Amino acid sequence: MSITAAMVKELRDKTGAGMMDCKKALAETNGDMEAAVDWLRAKGIAKADKKSGRTAAEGLIAVASDGNSAVVVEVNSETDFVARNDAFQDLARSVASIALGTDGSVEALGAATMSSTGKSVTESIKDAVAHIGENMNLRRSAKLSVDNGVVSTYVHNAVADGLGKLGVIVAVKSTGNAEAVAAIGRQVAMHIAATNPLALTSDDVDATVADRERNVFIEQARESGKPEAIIEKMVEGRMRKFFQEVALMSQAFVMNPDQSVAEAVKAAEADAGAPVEVAGFIRFQLGEGIEKEESDFAAEVAAAVKG
């Protein structure tokens, strides 16, 4: 029987297996779609898709740097046990290293070739799912670069070099001493890990977030019964404090709360021997924004008994 491209696509859509694997499965089963699905399952190739419905909210944050550029990626697994597996850690580390050669987007990274497998990062992770036995995925990736300066990295509570559950990269522009620039960059990265700022400066805070805070402050102030003119001044004062607390450069520096981050960076110029500017940052915390599935073990046992 002739195997058509439409048949290969249908099998790929059903199983998520690679194009060549689907073509081979159809050839081996004389074009029988259901038999081809079973063939892939028997070979372990379609095993990944049986796992793909499960929430992968554990895993690792990985960072990699070559000095002027740095990347941070999140590779998820279902359990922390797998995240502590050497094979998974090697995978996450490799993915971060490959990301340095891309524009940093998750799309470009997913399509990039992993030299150890000869396949794309996406396909290689799918193969690892079948091998390790639980769902995994490349969730997100980001990159920062500077022409002059350093992109510093920091991983909080690292489980291995460049791997942990919280990673930060900070782009620091300067033509000064690279060691001094990297030192202040790392300190700022540690600060970001601790404080989780919303933006670099108050001007960068999302307008929707700022408006929501302002509306809350207005309602709170009106509860006081004071005149509108007084309420307006109260709200403006609270908004100034809000911006100071959520914008990185105006926050109190965790290494020295008597200084703002901006003041600490300015002070670092003496050691750098040139102006120093924090140009941007990215902070990834493992699993943030993912709704984890809650497992009812008793219900699972009861269902198994009934089944």
Side-chain angles (χ1 to χ4, degrees), residues 27 32 57 62 75-76 92 95 109 115 136 163 202 221 223 226 229 233 239 284:
D32 186 319
V75 183
N76 293 132
V95 169
L109 177 54
S115 59
M136 295 181 288
L163 303 173
S202 58
E223 291 292 323
K226 290 184 170 59
K233 290 181 180 179
M239 286 302 295
F284 279 4

Side-chain angles (χ1 to χ4, degrees), residues 218-237:
I218 288 172
E219 292 304 315
Q220 289 176 342
R222 281 177 175 160
E223 291 292 323
S224 67
K226 290 184 170 59
E228 284 296 318
I230 301 297
I231 288 173
E232 185 175 338
K233 290 181 180 179
M234 291 171 62
V235 170
E236 289 307 313

Side-chain angles (χ1 to χ4, degrees), residues 64-81:
S65 171
D66 62 7
N68 290 95
S69 296
V71 294
V72 55
V73 303
E74 179 175 357
V75 183
N76 293 132
S77 62
E78 289 179 52
T79 65
D80 183 58
F81 178 78

Side-chain angles (χ1 to χ4, degrees), residues 127-164:
D127 288 347
V129 171
H131 175 70
I132 294 176
E134 69 172 55
N135 191 28
M136 295 181 288
N137 66 276
L138 170 63
R139 185 184 179 209
R140 51 183 174 160
S141 171
K143 181 179 182 180
L144 290 176
S145 300
V146 292
D147 292 330
N148 294 298
V150 175
V151 182
S152 296
T153 68
Y154 173 67
V155 176
H156 185 62
N157 287 342
V159 298
D161 187 33
L163 303 173

Side-chain angles (χ1 to χ4, degrees), residues 182-264:
I184 186 62
R186 181 170 173 80
Q187 288 185 346
V188 172
M190 295 172 72
H191 170 97
I192 291 166
T195 64
N196 193 17
L198 294 183
L200 184 64
T201 70
S202 58
D203 290 339
D204 299 317
V205 175
D206 186 273
T208 302
V209 174
D211 287 343
R212 185 163 59 243
E213 289 298 314
R214 183 181 296 277
N215 290 335
V216 169
F217 291 151
I218 288 172
E219 292 304 315
Q220 289 176 342
R222 281 177 175 160
E223 291 292 323
S224 67
K226 290 184 170 59
E228 284 296 318
I230 301 297
I231 288 173
E232 185 175 338
K233 290 181 180 179
M234 291 171 62
V235 170
E236 289 307 313
R238 291 179 183 180
M239 286 302 295
R240 280 194 298 273
K241 184 178 181 182
F242 166 73
F243 284 126
Q244 181 180 350
E245 291 175 347
V246 302
L248 171 63
M249 301 309 291
S250 58
Q251 288 180 329
F253 192 38
V254 292
M255 307 292 179
N256 178 6
D258 292 333
Q259 287 182 312
S260 67
V261 172
E263 289 168 340

